[in-house]
Structures are given as C-alpha cells and as structure tokens.
C-alpha cells in the first residue's frame, strides 16, 4: 500500500476519486476551503464537460492538486503507447477547458494496474498513486456512512497516509456523495488533533501554457 515520504511536519493526504460531480464536488471544496485544507482530486475524463469545467477550475484555483483517473480497468490492457496517448489527451482537455495543467499523477480504476500501464506512465514521466491499507471508503457491502468511516479513518491514518474518498462515481457523474462531505467535515479535526497537517500527493495547480 502507498505512503508518502515524510521530511518535515507529519502530513496526511486526502484524495478524492471519480469527479467532477456537479453537486458533491463544490460542497466538498467549500468544506476544504473553510478548513484551509489542500487535497488531491483524481478526475475522470468523461465527467469533465463544459458544464463541470468551472468546478475543476475552482479546484485548481483553491490550491488543490489535480491528477488523472479512469472509469474503466480496460486501460491496463492497452499497449504503453496507446495508454500514454490516452492520458495525454485527457490532460490536454483539462488544460483547454480550465486553463490549468494537471500534475503528473495517475490513479487507475479500483487500483488495478499492469506492466504495460507502468511502462506507459514511465514514458510520460508520471507516477501511479494508490492509497493506504484500510484508508478507503469501501465498507464491505454496507451503505457508506460517516458514522462508520470516520472512526476507522481517524484511527488508522498517520504520517504519510494516503486516504481515498469519492466525490464522484465512475458510472454516474451526479451520484449522491453526501457521506463524503460529512466524513471530511468530521475527519479533519480528528486528524489535526493527532498532530497531522494536510498535503497533496503531487504539485498543486499551475496555469497551462497551451501551444508551448
């Protein structure tokens, strides 16, 4: 499982998958802004539209990191060159629609990866990110709720931990993710009480230089 190296103040890393979600992502951004917390958002290309682009632009402008995600495991079957072009096309769409460039981070659907995927990431100079053990919001076929997630995440998270929650859904771009909003609201103070600060797994936003 993944952990981030620690060189200074103990830091934990909140990450969010499957957005942008037109309802949940803005509410989540509101919480993070109010708490002065930076996080990392892994976006699904087909959920990025002219309608959701302002949400992603705000994500950048609020100081969060944005990486690439996928709605399907089929990417792990692509040849390295085809996989690399798929990521390049997704990054270009983000740049065109938002004016900002994503960082060189990729999270595969459900964490599934392959040798060809890793070769493609290496060709593009990108890094694959997963999450820490038991630091996910899957709850073994129970309905996801803050009451169940917050105690586990708060107990297990420590310096370098990568936590994954979902502000979107790989199939339904407008899925109800109210449990994520409540979880984050309740989790942040508990992590701070453990002496943890918050960081991003890759470099935050930078304006795109289209055509360069």
């Amino acid at each position: 499982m993944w952990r981030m190296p620690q060189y200074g103040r103990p830091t934990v890393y909140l990450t969010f998958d499957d957005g942008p979600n037109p309802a949940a992502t803005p509410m989540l951004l509101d919480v993070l802004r109010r708490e002065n917390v930076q996080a990392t958002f892994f976006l699904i290309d087909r959920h990025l539209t002219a309608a959701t682009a302002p949400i992603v632009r705000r994500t950048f402008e609020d100081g969060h990191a944005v990486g690439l995600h996928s709605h399907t495991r089929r990417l792990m079957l692509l040849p390295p060159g085809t996989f690399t072009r798929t990521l390049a096309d997704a990054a270009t769409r983000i740049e065109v629609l938002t004016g900002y460039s994503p960082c060189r981070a990729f999270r595969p659907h459900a964490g599934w990866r392959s040798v060809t995927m890793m070769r493609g990431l290496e060709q593009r100079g990108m890094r694959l990110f997963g999450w820490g053990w038991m630091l996910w919001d899957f709850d073994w076929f129970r309905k996801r709720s803050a009451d169940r997630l917050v105690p586990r995440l708060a107990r297990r998270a420590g310096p370098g931990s990568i936590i994954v929650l979902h502000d979107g859904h790989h199939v339904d771009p407008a899925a109800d993710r109210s449990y994520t909003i409540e979880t984050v609201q309740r989790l942040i103070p508990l992590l701070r009480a453990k002496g943890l600060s918050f960081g991003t797994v890759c470099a935050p936003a930078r304006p795109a230089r289209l055509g360069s």
Side-chain angles (χ1 to χ4, degrees), residues 11-15 37-40 197-202:
T11 303
V12 67
Y13 302 83
L14 297 178
T15 68
V37 165
Q38 271 65 58
T40 307
S197 59
F198 296 86
T200 60
V201 303
C202 55

Side-chain angles (χ1 to χ4, degrees), residues 151-182:
R152 168 162 54 87
L153 297 176
R155 182 178 67 253
R156 299 194 64 89
S161 292
I162 302 175
I163 298 171
V164 59
L165 295 159
H166 290 76
D167 62 324
H169 185 276
H170 67 286
V171 175
D172 180 4
D176 180 5
R177 291 308 195 201
S178 54
Y179 80 88
T180 295
I181 311 304
E182 184 180 356

